[in-house]
Amino acid sequence: MYKKEISKAVINRLPRYYRYLGDLLEKDVVRISSKELSERMKVTASQIRQDLNNFGGFGQQGYGYNVEYLHSEIGKILGLEKKYNIIIIGAGNLGQALANYVDFERRGFIVTALFDVDPTLIGTQVRGDIYIHPAEELEGYIKSNQVDIAAITVPKTQAPLIASDLVRWGIKAIWNFAPTDLNLGKEVTVENVHLADSLMKLSYRLSTKKNQMD
Amino acid sequence: MYKKEISKAVINRLPRYYRYLGDLLEKDVVRISSKELSERMKVTASQIRQDLNNFGGFGQQGYGYNVEYLHSEIGKILGLEKKYNIIIIGAGNLGQALANYVDFERRGFIVTALFDVDPTLIGTQVRGDIYIHPAEELEGYIKSNQVDIAAITVPKTQAPLIASDLVRWGIKAIWNFAPTDLNLGKEVTVENVHLADSLMKLSYRLSTKKNQMD
């Protein structure tokens, strides 16, 4: 579809563009200049033009961007015109929090089931027809249902083994919340959410700020 | 302390270095070459040397890096020799999940209290002496306790108002999980965790991969 290799930095910005444009749409904004978009996004106007040129532009000189069109085109680039089924491995607080995020569903990410080893959790209805299943049923579930993404919210020590099982059973995309990096080969796409990393960035900024004031 | 302005890209990598070196320490690894470190980190060896040169080096030609020393020095740069008290605004699943992450505490990030408006949650003991307090007590709590970081895990619509209250009451660092960017001025440091953004990066990669195969 897109011949050019898109840089990781551009791809990292696309969800933000999509989110901002979605906010504008909700406020019934019809068009936006690249200058206004750049002020909201804290990215230079020329950066925005460059980013969007990767995908063929979308802007019109003197008019700016049509919010609805740009939102929908970026959505297509991000693959959001499709639906993705998600299962969650680990039904503790974090797993259940993810299952309850209605925002994901609105964007086409549908949580279909959670899995856990804790017998006191199994059978619990998390929301609608989303239930916590026993971990032993995971392999069978993956093989008999369409599963696009598996979220891993188990402790660090268990994550690598579970991840390699998931891959063996056919999972191609992993959303990893365990505080360890998973090395699963090139056919599997992994997105790590390292919550402690973002805390460390806060402490870095707090302590350098303090040093500047000292 | 450090005169040079450190680039955001370097700061983004520091928590990863810290995490990897911590893993090595747990395995009693004493030293590591920049080549080995680079293979684990998936960053070039020269990138690692450059990154660490920002803070004065730490490596020795022909020896590599002393794992414990490098871990502790990066920890200092990240401000991890201090303790940070965290309060969590919003005691739903996500808020409670954050309060239960023992990994944070190990690094000096101590959750001291959660706050919520839901009367059925108030008074709940989340862990140890961490309780869910009524939202009305938030201002008083901040003014009479040392609070370094406030995590926001409330719905998107409520986040901006709560954030500006927090800042008015003296909070200098916000860890924001609400799917909206907060604009709070230069004195406040904000770290956003946009979970939907990482899902969109997964869907982007899944859909481009699929297109390549088509």
Side-chain angles (χ1 to χ4, degrees):
Chain A
M1 195 172 171
Y2 300 102
K3 295 280 155 55
K4 257 197 294 184
E5 182 84 36
I6 310 298
S7 85
K8 218 179 147 184
V10 177
I11 294 156
N12 283 340
R13 278 191 293 270
L14 286 181
R16 279 182 63 208
Y17 287 124
Y18 186 78
R19 191 153 34 78
Y20 275 91
L21 291 162
D23 287 350
L24 292 173
L25 260 187
E26 275 175 25
K27 290 174 192 145
D28 296 318
V29 177
V30 174
R31 65 171 172 155
I32 189 166
S33 66
S34 59
K35 185 165 170 285
E36 286 169 280
L37 190 58
S38 102
E39 275 159 18
R40 282 187 69 102
M41 291 273 308
K42 296 192 177 90
V43 167
T44 65
S46 93
Q47 178 76 80
I48 290 180
R49 278 190 297 267
Q50 255 181 54
D51 283 354
L52 299 181
N53 276 340
N54 277 302
F55 308 101
F58 310 129
Q60 240 179 292
Q61 198 76 40
Y63 174 86
Y65 298 102
N66 177 302
V67 173
E68 193 176 350
Y69 178 71
L70 186 54
H71 183 258
S72 118
E73 290 300 306
I74 292 179
K76 281 183 207 161
I77 294 164
L78 288 169
L80 298 180
E81 80 284 19
K82 290 173 224 149
K83 300 250 173 269
Y84 299 89
N85 287 338
I86 303 181
I87 57 171
I88 297 172
I89 323 301
N93 279 310
L94 182 59
Q96 293 196 37
L98 296 179
N100 278 310
Y101 250 81
V102 285
D103 244 40
F104 300 155
E105 201 157 282
R106 216 165 40 86
R107 283 171 186 159
F109 298 99
I110 319 288
V111 174
T112 59
L114 293 86
F115 294 85
D116 209 290
V117 289
D118 180 352
T120 66
L121 288 174
I122 288 162
T124 304
Q125 180 185 25
V126 175
R127 177 166 68 85
D129 55 359
I130 310 172
Y131 287 86
I132 303 176
H133 302 249
E136 306 88 76
E137 293 179 7
L138 188 50
E139 177 175 5
Y141 186 94
I142 292 172
K143 292 185 171 167
S144 55
N145 292 277
Q146 168 75 22
V147 179
D148 302 293
I149 297 168
I152 295 182
T153 61
V154 301
K156 178 181 168 178
T157 47
Q158 294 162 38
L161 192 65
I162 287 174
S164 66
D165 278 345
L166 290 169
V167 170
R168 198 151 36 85
W169 298 330
I171 294 293
K172 293 274 178 272
I174 287 179
W175 195 23
N176 175 40
F177 287 81
T180 185
D181 288 316
L182 304 170
N183 295 309
L184 298 168
K186 280 196 188 299
E187 321 81 70
V188 186
T189 177
V190 180
E191 181 69 25
N192 293 303
V193 181
H194 288 309
L195 295 176
D197 285 18
S198 66
L199 265 187
M200 290 190 246
K201 283 185 240 170
L202 274 182
S203 65
Y204 171 81
R205 282 186 252 140
L206 280 173
S207 63
T208 47
K209 209 189 291 181
K210 189 140 190 329
N211 286 325
Q212 280 161 10
M213 288 187 297
D214 287 347
Chain B
M1 194 172 173
Y2 299 103
K3 296 279 156 55
K4 256 196 296 183
E5 182 84 36
I6 310 297
S7 85
K8 216 177 149 186
V10 177
I11 294 155
N12 282 340
R13 278 191 293 270
L14 286 182
R16 278 182 63 207
Y17 287 124
Y18 186 79
R19 192 153 33 80
Y20 276 92
L21 290 162
D23 287 349
L24 292 174
L25 260 188
E26 275 176 25
K27 290 174 191 146
D28 295 317
V29 176
V30 173
R31 64 171 176 155
I32 189 166
S33 67
S34 59
K35 185 164 172 285
E36 284 170 282
L37 190 58
S38 100
E39 275 161 14
R40 281 187 70 102
M41 291 274 308
K42 296 193 178 91
V43 167
T44 64
S46 92
Q47 179 76 79
I48 289 179
R49 278 189 297 268
Q50 256 181 54
D51 283 353
L52 299 181
N53 277 338
N54 278 300
F55 309 100
F58 311 127
Q60 242 179 291
Q61 197 76 41
Y63 174 86
Y65 298 102
N66 177 301
V67 173
E68 194 176 350
Y69 178 71
L70 187 55
H71 183 257
S72 118
E73 290 300 307
I74 291 179
K76 282 181 206 161
I77 293 164
L78 288 169
L80 298 180
E81 80 282 21
K82 290 171 224 150
K83 300 250 174 266
Y84 299 89
N85 287 338
I86 303 181
I87 57 171
I88 298 172
I89 324 302
N93 280 311
L94 181 58
Q96 293 198 38
L98 297 179
N100 279 310
Y101 251 80
V102 284
D103 245 40
F104 299 157
E105 202 157 279
R106 217 165 42 84
R107 283 172 185 157
F109 298 98
I110 319 288
V111 173
T112 59
L114 293 86
F115 293 85
D116 209 289
V117 289
D118 181 349
T120 65
L121 288 175
I122 288 162
T124 305
Q125 179 185 25
V126 176
R127 176 166 68 86
D129 54 359
I130 310 172
Y131 287 86
I132 304 176
H133 301 249
E136 305 90 75
E137 294 179 7
L138 188 50
E139 178 176 4
Y141 187 93
I142 292 173
K143 292 185 171 167
S144 53
N145 291 276
Q146 167 75 21
V147 179
D148 303 293
I149 298 169
I152 295 183
T153 61
V154 301
K156 178 180 167 177
T157 47
Q158 295 162 39
L161 192 64
I162 287 174
S164 65
D165 278 346
L166 289 170
V167 170
R168 200 151 35 84
W169 298 331
I171 294 293
K172 294 273 177 271
I174 286 179
W175 196 22
N176 175 41
F177 287 81
T180 184
D181 288 315
L182 304 170
N183 295 309
L184 298 168
K186 280 196 190 298
E187 321 81 68
V188 186
T189 177
V190 180
E191 181 70 26
N192 294 302
V193 181
H194 288 308
L195 295 175
D197 285 18
S198 67
L199 264 187
M200 289 190 246
K201 283 185 241 170
L202 274 181
S203 66
Y204 171 81
R205 282 185 252 140
L206 279 173
S207 64
T208 46
K209 206 190 291 183
K210 188 138 192 328
N211 286 325
Q212 282 162 8
M213 288 188 295
D214 285 348

